Amino acid sequence: MSTVAAPQERGVRELVGEIARRAISLTPAQGDPVAAVAALLVLDPRNVDHVEAVITVIVCDALGDPWRETTANRWRSLLPTWIRPQVIGAVVQRMRSAGLLVSTGRWVRSTDRAGGNGGKPQPVYVLIVTGEDQPLPLSRLGDVGPDGPDRT
C-alpha cells in the first residue's frame, strides 16, 4: 500500500496531486458496481479538473481542522459551480476506498437542501495523511493526560 507524506514536507498542491493519483490508481473491488462507476468517473480525462478541485477542497478543509476531520457540510459551498455533481460522490468514494478518508463513526445532519438531502445523516470523516500523528478517538482522550489537577 502506498503512503501519502505529511503536509509539512511539501505544499498542499503536491499533497492534492499525490492523493488524486492514489485515489485514481486504486483498483475497484470486484463485484462492486458503485466502485466501478466511481472509478470510471475519476478516470475520465474530461473530469481531471473536477477531481482535482474536489480533492483540493476536501483536503484543505480537513487540514484546517486540528483533528483532520471533514464533512460535506463544511466544504460543499466551497466547490466551484462548474464541477459535475456526480464527480463529487465518486471522489469521496475513491478517497474512502483508498483509506484516505475514514469514517469517524459520527454523523451530522446534512445542510444540503438544494440537493434534496437536507436533514439526512451525513458521515464525519478524518483525512489520513501518513507520517503525521493521527488524532485519537474521543473515547481515548482520557488516556492522553491527567483528568484534573489532583491526578498527575
Side-chain angles (χ1 to χ4, degrees):
M1 181 165 108
S2 63
T3 60
V4 177
Q8 65 269 23
E9 295 176 17
R10 70 228 142 58
V12 172
R13 187 170 187 77
E14 291 82 18
L15 177 63
V16 168
E18 192 173 330
I19 287 174
R21 284 186 295 280
R22 184 165 170 200
I24 288 169
S25 67
L26 183 71
T27 304
Q30 288 284 35
D32 185 349
V34 173
V37 170
L40 288 173
L41 284 168
V42 299
L43 286 171
D44 187 333
R46 297 172 293 182
N47 291 335
V48 169
D49 293 340
H50 299 256
V51 170
E52 287 181 2
V54 173
I55 290 174
T56 299
V57 169
I58 292 171
V59 168
C60 287
D61 179 69
L63 291 178
D65 184 270
W67 298 99
R68 300 300 189 243
E69 290 183 349
T70 186
T71 181
N73 283 346
R74 291 201 331 225
W75 51 258
R76 185 182 304 108
S77 65
L78 303 174
L79 291 170
T81 57
W82 48 263
I83 292 179
R84 294 180 185 98
Q86 63 272 28
V87 173
I88 300 166
V91 168
V92 171
Q93 191 278 337
R94 298 296 288 173
M95 288 179 74
R96 288 185 63 214
S97 293
L100 298 163
L101 280 182
V102 176
S103 176
T104 63
R106 295 191 335 270
W107 298 78
V108 295
R109 291 184 186 268
S110 175
T111 58
D112 182 20
R113 301 226 187 293
N117 295 313
K120 293 180 182 176
Q122 175 183 98
V124 176
Y125 297 109
V126 64
L127 177 69
I128 301 298
V129 179
T130 58
E132 180 177 73
D133 289 338
Q134 297 305 317
L136 290 172
L138 290 176
S139 62
R140 295 224 21 243
L141 285 179
D143 298 344
V144 176
D147 289 339
D150 59 340
R151 185 174 161 217
T152 57

